[in-house]
Each structure stands twice: as C-alpha cells, then as structure tokens.
Amino acid sequence: LSGQIPLEIGDLVNLRQLSLWGNNLTGEIPSEIGNLTDLSILYLGENQLTGEIPSEIGNLTDLFSLWLNDNQLYGSIPSEIQNLTYLRSLVLRNNNLSGEIPAGIWELYNLENLDLWNNNVSGNLSNVGNLINLNYLNFGASNNLNGEIPSEIGNLTNLMFLDLWGNNLTGEIPSEIGNLVYL
C-alpha cells in the first residue's frame, strides 16, 4: 500500500484492530484516528509516516497495543498517551522523536513492552520501578536519558530484556539488578 492514510479512516468507529504494518504509507497520521475509540490494536509500523504523533491518540482508551515503529515521526511523545491505561505494548522505536519522556508513561502499569530504541528522547528512569509488569524495556541507541539507574529497577522482576546503551546515564549499576532473574 502507498499514499497517505485517508482522513475518512476516522469514520470506521466500530473498528477494533487496524494493521497497516510494513507498507509504503506516507504523510502524517491523521488526527481522525482518535475517533476509533473501540480500537484495541493499532499497527502502523514500518512505513514512511512523518509528522508528530497526534494527541488524539489519547482518545483510544481501549488500546492494548500501539506500534508506530520504523517511521519518520518527530516531535514529542504526546502526554495524552497516559490515557491508554490498558496499554500492554508501546513500540515507538526507530523514529526521530525528541523531548522529555512524558511522566504519564511511568503510570501505564499494564505495560509489558516499552520500546523507544533509536530516538532522541530525554529524561530519567527515576519512576521505571512503577512498571512492574514489564518484560521488555528498550531505551538504547541515540537517546539522551540521564541520571542514575534507580534501585527501583529491581521491582521489574518479570524483565527479560533490558537495553540502555548509548545514553548519558551515570553512577553505578544498582545491586537490585540481581532481582531480575529472568533477564
């Protein structure tokens, strides 16, 4: 598939899953996508999409899985992402996103997969310990996280994958990392 996602996509208000993964789609993600409030899965990864992630994505409160990876999206991650309290998988890897990681991400307690690899986001990991259901955490490559790895990382006892390379983290690796027996 090629071309832009039509604005009329917002008319499909009963749609539950939308997967346009791995195509040649261009242009911006239309804000009308926020009308699809019954969506549980939104896969737009591996396209040529540009622009910012629309704040209307926060209207998709039944969303279970959001994959916007491997596009050319830029700007900040919208703070409205905190409305997606059922979200289990947030994959924004390999875009041009920047700015501070919204504080609300640390309140998405159901997250199992958080992947911001190869963007330019900043912030620290001070509240990562809240995400006790995580099994995959990838903040590596080209991000600008700073500060120390908090001892609360030891709360992530289900974690199987951890990538923090290429950031500006300081200090020692906390001994609580030993709690991550599935790593």
Side-chain angles (χ1 to χ4, degrees):
L1 298 174
S2 61
Q4 297 187 2
I5 300 172
L7 303 181
E8 291 78 11
I9 197 93
D11 296 338
L12 305 176
V13 294
N14 294 313
L15 197 62
R16 297 202 186 270
Q17 298 183 8
L18 178 59
S19 180
L20 298 172
W21 180 278
N23 283 289
N24 230 354
L25 298 173
T26 57
E28 297 185 1
I29 300 170
S31 60
E32 288 78 3
I33 208 119
N35 297 344
L36 308 180
T37 56
D38 285 344
L39 273 186
S40 61
I41 293 175
L42 179 58
Y43 293 154
L44 300 177
E46 295 186 20
N47 280 290
Q48 308 282 323
L49 297 171
T50 59
E52 297 187 17
I53 299 171
S55 61
E56 290 81 1
I57 211 101
N59 297 344
L60 308 180
T61 55
D62 287 341
L63 210 57
F64 178 85
S65 190
L66 176 61
W67 291 57
L68 304 176
N69 57 294
D70 297 286
N71 280 292
Q72 298 160 19
L73 301 172
Y74 57 81
S76 298
I77 300 168
S79 61
E80 291 81 1
I81 212 133
Q82 72 185 15
N83 300 338
L84 310 181
T85 57
Y86 294 115
L87 203 59
R88 300 261 172 118
S89 187
L90 177 60
V91 180
L92 304 175
R93 70 181 288 138
N94 206 26
N95 279 291
N96 297 309
L97 299 171
S98 59
E100 191 92 12
I101 297 171
I105 282 188
W106 309 119
E107 296 172 16
L108 297 175
Y109 305 117
N110 291 311
L111 271 182
E112 296 173 1
N113 179 5
L114 178 55
D115 191 344
L116 300 178
W117 180 82
N118 199 30
N119 279 287
N120 194 26
V121 295
S122 59
N124 61 60
L125 296 172
S126 61
N127 293 312
V128 72
N130 294 344
L131 304 179
I132 59 171
N133 291 306
L134 275 183
N135 56 48
Y136 186 95
L137 177 61
N138 192 348
F139 283 152
S142 301
N143 285 309
N144 289 307
L145 298 182
N146 56 45
E148 296 184 358
I149 300 171
S151 60
E152 290 79 12
I153 201 161
N155 297 347
L156 309 181
T157 56
N158 296 316
L159 204 60
M160 292 187 266
F161 181 91
L162 175 64
D163 186 347
L164 300 173
W165 78 273
N167 282 284
N168 296 310
L169 298 169
T170 58
E172 297 180 3
I173 297 172
S175 61
E176 289 81 0
I177 202 120
N179 297 345
L180 310 182
V181 295
Y182 296 114
L183 202 58

